[in-house]
Amino acid sequence: MKTLLLKPALVVSLLAVLAGCGSSPVYKEEGFKKETPYQRAVDQPPAKACDAAQRALLSQGYRIETSDGQAIHAQKLFQPDDEVNATIDFFVTCKDHDGGSMVFANAVETTYALKKTSGATGFSVAGAGSITMPWSKSADSLVKVAGQTIADGKFYQRFFDLISTYLGGKAR
């Protein structure tokens, strides 16, 4: 009986094709709707709106990574359990709009899991071959396991409501 041996390149190509068959492109779900949870109009100029957004984020424990007056990147770290870490990266942009400004917000949640690796120490001796010693080493590292834009309208509503308190009024 003859056995079939596949070349490594053919195996890798076959696996890549099979992996591509199982998922559809995410852009097909993009609706580009006019009404979204990611934006609110306010009656203040962009600089004041972004200042209120920055204050809202700071009041909730976010660390401001960058801010230029009309754009903010803030981050908050979480540790839901011993081997999982998560971050929320919050992005805010304030643009002129109808005598006030439009505040755009987008938050991305990224999850990391602890990956443990271990190994033994080995060395080669000329003429004797390689020797593996029982001294082990282990390393822990965080590996990204998920990342997704937060799409929950209530999440953004709470954020925009808090901004409105810093603006002394209501978001439209």
Side-chain angles (χ1 to χ4, degrees):
M1 183 182 285
K2 243 182 181 180
T3 59
L4 178 63
L5 296 176
L6 297 175
K7 293 184 178 186
L10 180 60
V11 171
V12 170
S13 298
L14 182 61
L15 289 174
V17 168
L18 290 174
C21 293
S23 62
S24 63
V26 295
Y27 71 86
K28 290 185 177 186
E29 300 299 319
E30 282 296 330
F32 289 103
K33 300 172 189 164
K34 183 177 179 179
E35 297 298 321
T36 72
Y38 308 108
Q39 64 184 21
R40 289 293 183 284
V42 298
D43 293 329
Q44 300 291 327
K48 284 189 177 186
C50 265
D51 182 64
Q54 188 173 19
R55 290 171 189 264
L57 290 166
L58 287 167
S59 76
Q60 301 304 303
Y62 283 83
R63 179 181 67 229
I64 304 301
E65 298 291 321
T66 60
S67 177
D68 69 4
Q70 292 193 353
I72 302 164
H73 171 210
Q75 186 179 71
K76 188 173 182 179
L77 307 175
F78 301 86
Q79 188 170 5
D81 66 48
D82 289 345
E83 296 193 1
V84 175
N85 285 18
T87 63
I88 293 179
D89 283 285
F90 212 111
F91 302 91
V92 179
T93 303
C94 304
K95 301 299 249 176
D96 284 319
H97 177 75
D98 289 340
S101 58
M102 185 69 73
V103 179
F104 298 92
N106 173 288
V108 176
E109 182 176 347
T110 307
T111 306
Y112 301 89
L114 190 63
K115 180 180 178 186
K116 298 177 183 230
T117 57
S118 61
T121 302
F123 57 92
S124 295
V125 177
S130 66
I131 300 172
T132 302
M133 301 304 287
W135 300 307
S136 65
K137 65 175 184 171
S138 66
D140 295 343
S141 60
L142 288 174
V143 177
K144 181 178 176 180
V145 294
Q148 184 170 329
T149 297
I150 297 172
D152 181 9
K154 291 178 182 178
F155 173 82
Y156 294 101
Q157 184 62 50
R158 292 189 303 267
F159 172 67
F160 289 120
D161 287 348
L162 186 55
I163 286 176
S164 72
T165 64
Y166 285 102
L167 290 172
K170 285 219 164 246
R172 293 189 265 166

